[in-house]
């Protein structure tokens, strides 16, 4: 075990001593800071609102009417029901909605797109970690040690995933800090209201944000694995990076194009977004969370196995 | 040394390698023992690097097997590699790391290498002053030294160096030669070197295996190798062509080379006076007679029939 830990140490050293890792981390923090500045300067000054309860009551009355008008649109009705329930909860529990951006609002808003950016970074890291040693020729001195290729590949893969975890932790801490500095640390105690199957729960924001990271992380995890496979198969980092980012960006278009066919549910990209089950509106009505998890697991095993075979079985000609 | 009934350090058994249909290594079998420096010799593209790659498990053999200290490279890779230190082709290291970080990296992959040992090998290859600089700033010779350092970290009992003198200065080559000699004699390490500097091998190696187009032409000790090629005598005369004609006509000997003022003959030592007499009687003036030891290089070209690229 300590032997494997040393392999991870090695791969970490090779990731973080490279210029590119430093650039990526600085870029990540810089973007969060920039987002904070933009939100801060563009939002109107929050005004003191003493009549918020009446306003919420009014809003709910309007929504009740709308609900009868939208007809059969399940998604719209769900959304309206949710807003009504949340408003009612605030009225009942005396939880005043904030006038503008808050600390947690910023943290949560930064999650989605930034996780996509972290996916891209991690794809770059894993592709570089696996493929670049073939370009530089260092693979030869790496693989003549009394260590199996499987262990080396696993160390490369895990250290890349650890890089993603580090980015997520940094994202969380830094967006919390920026959110606090720009929108007030008093917002740190704000309660998170969630709505599941008709009931409103009061939960912790930290949990809610990490759940969001995790749901977005499914796509990160799968696409990083795909990038690792391509890197191992073609021993070409650029190809692995280009192809997997292209697939990740194009996945929603691909799914939309194929959404008419019933077999779309077996396509990897149709199952990457697990939030479709949280919102109660899956791509196809015959898809469930369990179904998606099984599809993802099958894809994962096939991709990981193929990558492993490519890495461990072929001659080193570099 | 080869005759001693000793356990071989490296054994190649009918090793064959094909790339597609092309047979690059053809049924190679030989043994290398601890305490000797074995030279692996052959023209460009003969298959030296491919053989080394198979010994260290970078390439699979199509047929045959390789054992290192009794451990099969195929079946017991970890134990086999535990014994081996190697440089394969160029010693490519991580350029964005310092020399020291590179060594730490390799040291982490084998249990039991202390900080002191790292310091020891750094000193050994004379890199103390520059070891904390990034490898991208190193010269070729310095990288070669660092390559040697990483190969020695774990006290391997088999040391494999693919063209180790490449990039070294004369002092470096001299030191390497002495060091490899010491290592084999004092610590009983089996050293395998491949090199294009044939004259180097002559000084460095105990035995030499010649490989050409993937086939082993023979394994001989350096002295055997030289003896077989011996008996060349150079006559410095006033007219090379005329003198050559004389020995051809009168003694039925075929000169190897004919120059304007000299010619060379492959004859036994005892025959020299006869040739001298014949030449003098024929009116040739002799300025010098010397026996020319054939260099390994000449001998090598003779055996392989000149440089052959494939
Ligand atoms: N990956 C490969 N695919 C096909 N043929 C290859 C491959 N690698 C090497 N060869 C061929 O195998 C033969 C032996 O190559 P190798 O590199 O072992 O020669 P070498 O003896 O090390 O030569 P050099 O002295 O130039 O280093 C050459 O004919 C080469 O073209
Ligand atoms: Mg070679």
């Amino acid at each position: 075990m300590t032997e494997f830990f040393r392999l991870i140490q090695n791969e970490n050293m090779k990731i973080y001593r490279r210029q590119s890792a430093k650039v990526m981390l600085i870029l990540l923090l810089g973007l969060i800071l920039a987002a904070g500045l933009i939100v801060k300067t563009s939002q109107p000054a929050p005004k003191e609102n003493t009549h918020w309860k009446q306003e919420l009551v009014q809003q709910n009355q309007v929504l009740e009417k709308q609900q009868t008008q939208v007809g059969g649109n399940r998604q719209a009705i769900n959304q309206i029901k949710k807003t009504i329930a949340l408003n009612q909860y605030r009225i009942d529990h005396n939880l005043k909605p904030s006038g503008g951006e808050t600390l947690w609002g910023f943290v949560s808003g930064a999650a989605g797109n930034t996780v996509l950016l972290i996916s891209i970074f991690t794809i770059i890291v894993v592709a570089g970690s696996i493929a670049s040693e073939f370009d530089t020729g260092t693979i030869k001195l790496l693989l003549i040690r009394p260590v199996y290729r499987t262990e080396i590949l696993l160390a490369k893969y895990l250290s890349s995933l650890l890089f993603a975890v580090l980015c997520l932790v940094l994202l969380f801490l830094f967006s919390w800090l920026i959110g606090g500095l720009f929108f007030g640390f008093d917002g740190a105690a704000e309660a998170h209201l969630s709505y599941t199957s008709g009931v409103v729960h009061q939960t912790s924001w930290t949990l809610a944000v990490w759940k969001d990271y995790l749901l977005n992380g499914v796509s990160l995890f799968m696409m990083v694995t795909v990038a690792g496979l391509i890197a191992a198969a073609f021993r070409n980092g650029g190809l692995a990076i280009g192809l997997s980012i292209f697939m990740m960006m194009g996945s929603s278009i691909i799914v939309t194009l194929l959404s008419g066919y019933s077999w779309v549910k077996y396509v990897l990209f149709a199952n990457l977004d697990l939030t479709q089950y949280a919102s109660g509106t899956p791509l196809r009505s015959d898809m469930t969370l369990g179904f998606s998890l099984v599809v993802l697991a099958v894809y994962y095993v096939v991709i990981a196995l193929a990558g492993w075979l490519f890495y461990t079985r072929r001659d080193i000609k570099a | 040394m080869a005759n001693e009934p000793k356990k071989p350090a490296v054994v190649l058994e009918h090793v064959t390698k094909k790339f597609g249909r092309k047979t690059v290594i053809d049924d190679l079998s030989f043994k290398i023992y601890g305490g000797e420096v074995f030279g692996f010799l052959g023209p460009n593209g003969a298959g030296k690097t491919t053989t080394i790659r198979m010994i260290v498990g970078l390439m699979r053999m199509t047929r045959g097997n390789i054992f290192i200290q009794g451990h099969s490279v195929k079946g017991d890779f970890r134990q086999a590699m535990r014994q081996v230190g190697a440089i394969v082709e160029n010693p490519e290291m991580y350029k964005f790391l310092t020399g020291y970080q590179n060594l730490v990296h390799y040291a982490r992959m084998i249990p039991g290498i202390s900080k002191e040992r790292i310091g020891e090998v750094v000193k050994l290859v004379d890199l103390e002053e520059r070891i904390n600089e990034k490898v991208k700033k190193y010269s070729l010779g310095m990288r070669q030294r660092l390559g040697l350092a990483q190969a020695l970290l774990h006290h391997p009992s088999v040391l494999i160096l693919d063209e180790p003198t490449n990039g070294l200065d004369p002092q470096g080559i001299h030191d390497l030669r002495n060091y490899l000699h010491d290592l084999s004699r004092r610590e009983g390490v089996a050293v395998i070197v491949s090199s294009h500097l044939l004259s180097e091998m002559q000084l460095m190696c105990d035995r030499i295996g010649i490989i050409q187009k993937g086939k082993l032409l023979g394994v001989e000790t350096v002295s055997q190798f030289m003896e077989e090629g011996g008996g060349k005598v150079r006559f410095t005369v006033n007219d090379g062509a005329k003198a050559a004609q004389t020995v051809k006509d009168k003694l039925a000997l075929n000169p190897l080379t004919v120059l304007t003022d000299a010619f060379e003959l492959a004859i036994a030592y005892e025959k020299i006076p006869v040739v001298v007499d014949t030449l003098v009687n024929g009116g040739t003036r002799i300025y010098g007679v010397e026996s020319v030891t054939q260099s390994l290089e000449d001998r090598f070209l003779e055996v392989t029939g000149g440089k052959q690229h494939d």
Side-chain angles (χ1 to χ4, degrees):
Chain A
M1 203 57 222
T2 52
E3 280 175 42
F4 186 70
F5 176 73
R6 285 152 158 257
L7 295 183
I8 297 265
Q9 254 185 316
N10 271 349
E11 295 309 323
N12 279 344
M13 175 165 79
K14 287 184 272 183
I15 290 174
Y16 299 104
R17 294 273 175 193
R18 277 204 178 95
Q19 210 64 42
S20 55
K22 290 168 194 160
V23 171
M24 286 189 271
L25 291 178
I26 290 169
L27 217 60
L28 177 68
L29 299 185
L31 277 171
I32 298 168
L33 180 65
L37 284 171
I38 291 168
V39 175
K40 177 78 182 169
T41 49
S42 61
Q43 73 165 357
K47 50 185 188 305
E48 214 28 58
N49 187 351
T50 44
H51 311 293
W52 61 273
K53 274 192 187 173
Q54 284 107 303
E55 279 176 17
L56 286 186
V57 171
Q58 272 172 10
Q59 196 189 349
N60 271 5
Q61 284 164 354
V62 175
L63 286 172
E64 302 267 6
K65 260 182 221 155
Q66 269 180 19
Q67 198 181 340
T68 55
Q69 289 159 4
V70 286
N73 189 335
R74 204 156 49 92
Q75 200 167 351
I77 291 176
N78 265 340
Q79 191 55 45
I80 291 170
K81 272 189 177 158
K82 181 179 170 183
T83 314
I84 293 173
L86 288 176
N87 284 347
Q88 194 56 48
Y89 192 90
R90 287 189 178 279
I91 296 165
D92 295 346
H93 293 78
N94 200 25
L95 293 168
K96 185 182 156 202
S98 71
E101 184 64 292
T102 62
L103 186 156
W104 285 113
F106 180 72
V107 172
S108 147
N113 288 329
T114 320
V115 175
L116 186 69
L117 183 73
I118 293 174
S119 304
I120 293 175
F121 286 172
T122 314
I123 284 171
I124 294 173
V125 166
V126 79
S129 173
I130 292 175
S132 75
E133 301 219 21
F134 289 94
D135 294 335
T136 57
T138 50
I139 191 76
K140 289 178 293 189
L141 290 186
L142 183 69
L143 295 187
I144 59 169
R145 310 289 146 179
V147 175
Y148 289 114
R149 288 192 197 179
T150 306
E151 299 172 82
I152 289 176
L153 180 64
L154 194 63
K156 285 181 176 296
Y157 180 59
L158 289 182
S159 63
S160 303
L161 290 176
L162 280 177
F163 175 83
V165 172
L166 172 75
C167 285
L168 288 176
V169 170
L170 282 179
L171 165 63
F172 181 78
L173 294 178
F174 202 65
S175 60
W176 191 90
L177 190 71
I178 296 288
L181 285 174
F182 287 3
F183 312 110
F185 284 105
D186 49 341
E190 188 189 348
H192 176 255
L193 300 183
S194 70
Y195 173 85
T196 37
S197 48
V199 191
V200 176
H201 301 276
Q202 197 167 334
T203 55
S204 121
W205 260 111
T206 307
L207 266 167
V209 167
W210 276 98
K211 191 179 147 202
D212 201 16
Y213 287 171
L214 224 62
L215 284 175
N216 282 294
V218 173
S219 158
L220 180 152
F221 183 63
M222 290 303 290
M223 293 318 293
V224 166
T225 312
V226 168
L229 162 65
I230 300 172
F234 296 98
R235 298 176 173 182
N236 181 330
L239 184 73
I241 294 168
L243 214 55
S244 24
I245 292 179
F246 176 78
M247 280 197 266
M248 194 167 68
M249 296 303 201
S251 66
S252 61
I253 299 172
I254 298 170
V255 171
T256 313
L257 284 177
L258 300 177
S259 58
Y261 304 97
S262 64
W263 49 261
V264 70
K265 63 184 175 191
Y266 299 114
V267 173
L268 170 63
F269 305 122
N271 294 283
L272 284 179
D273 178 20
L274 294 183
T275 55
Q276 59 184 317
Y277 302 110
S279 65
T281 50
L283 182 69
R284 292 185 65 85
S285 51
D286 55 348
M287 285 168 73
T288 63
L289 180 63
F291 172 82
S292 278
L293 289 179
V294 170
V295 171
L296 287 174
V298 171
Y299 270 102
Y300 183 80
V301 169
V302 171
I303 293 168
L305 199 68
W308 173 72
L309 284 174
F310 277 122
Y311 196 81
T312 54
R313 294 300 149 101
R314 283 163 71 206
D315 281 353
I316 307 299
K317 297 172 175 176
Chain B
M1 202 163 315
N3 305 328
E4 286 171 29
K6 203 156 114 179
K7 247 179 73 187
V10 180
V11 179
L12 277 81
E13 279 177 0
H14 305 290
V15 173
T16 299
K17 177 70 184 175
K18 291 184 181 179
F19 287 118
R21 288 193 162 175
K22 194 173 152 206
T23 304
V24 168
I25 301 294
D26 194 0
D27 200 31
L28 214 60
S29 298
F30 59 86
K31 292 180 176 139
I32 298 155
Y33 295 84
E36 72 168 335
V37 182
F38 184 87
F40 205 34
L41 209 56
N44 288 134
K48 303 181 295 290
T49 300
T50 305
T51 306
I52 290 175
R53 278 176 197 266
M54 287 191 287
I55 297 176
V56 296
L58 291 177
M59 283 184 172
R60 280 156 190 272
M61 38 212 131
T62 312
R63 265 197 304 281
N65 211 342
I66 296 175
F67 297 90
I68 297 171
Q69 305 291 11
H71 305 285
S72 157
V73 173
K74 274 185 193 167
D76 197 0
F77 180 73
R78 282 181 84 131
Q79 278 306 317
M81 286 310 114
R82 190 75 185 73
Q83 315 294 328
V84 178
I87 301 178
V88 185
E89 267 176 349
N90 307 310
E92 285 120 340
M93 313 290 259
Y94 301 101
K95 293 202 167 137
F96 53 93
L97 299 180
T98 65
Y100 192 79
Q101 286 165 346
N102 267 286
L103 293 180
V104 168
H105 173 269
Y106 296 118
R108 283 195 191 125
M109 299 182 80
I110 302 165
I113 297 175
S114 62
K115 266 201 172 129
E116 289 70 36
R117 177 61 186 164
I118 299 179
E120 237 171 75
V121 294
V122 170
K123 202 166 168 184
L124 196 80
V125 299
D126 219 1
L127 268 180
E128 288 150 296
E129 275 174 38
R130 310 286 299 269
I131 198 67
N132 287 318
E133 280 178 38
K134 292 227 166 109
V135 171
K136 63 169 143 254
K137 291 188 190 164
Y138 281 18
S139 68
L140 177 59
M142 288 164 67
R143 268 180 276 149
Q144 197 68 257
R145 285 162 193 263
L146 190 61
L148 185 63
Q150 63 79 27
L152 293 171
L153 269 176
H154 52 295
H155 293 286
S157 64
V158 175
L159 182 65
I160 303 172
L161 306 174
D162 197 0
E163 299 178 31
T165 51
N166 187 13
L168 290 185
D169 53 24
Q171 183 64 46
I173 293 176
H174 180 85
D175 291 349
L176 178 70
R177 193 162 65 216
N178 288 343
Y179 181 69
L180 293 184
H181 194 266
D182 273 14
L183 204 61
S184 65
R185 295 302 184 278
R186 285 212 202 118
E187 299 183 31
V189 173
V191 182
I192 304 174
V193 282
S194 84
S195 172
H196 287 124
L197 292 169
L198 308 168
S199 47
E200 264 306 317
M201 296 222 120
Q202 199 168 347
L203 294 169
M204 207 185 287
C205 302
D206 302 305
R207 284 197 306 152
I208 289 174
I210 296 182
I211 178 174
Q212 190 190 22
K213 290 186 177 173
K215 285 206 174 79
L216 196 68
L217 297 182
V219 179
E220 294 173 37
T221 63
V222 169
S223 44
Q224 271 174 354
F225 200 76
M226 298 309 301
E227 273 163 25
E228 278 163 29
K232 199 157 90 169
V233 183
R234 186 188 187 99
F235 296 85
T236 310
V237 293
N238 59 341
D239 186 343
K242 189 185 151 210
Q245 197 58 47
T246 312
V247 293
K248 243 188 200 170
D249 295 344
K250 302 235 165 104
L251 298 170
L253 290 170
N254 264 329
L256 297 170
T257 29
V258 181
L259 305 167
T260 50
D261 63 345
F263 70 98
E264 286 174 1
L265 279 179
I267 48 167
Y269 197 63
E270 314 86 61
K271 278 204 156 181
I272 294 177
V274 182
V275 176
V276 171
D277 282 348
T278 314
L279 286 174
V280 172
N281 291 340
T284 299
R285 302 171 73 143
I286 301 173
Y287 296 100
V289 179
E290 55 189 327
S291 113
V292 186
T293 13
Q294 198 178 13
S295 75
L296 192 56
E297 189 148 5
D298 297 331
R299 174 77 178 117
F300 173 69
L301 290 175
E302 201 178 296
V303 171
T304 60
K307 294 248 173 198
Q308 291 199 16
H309 305 266
D310 194 28

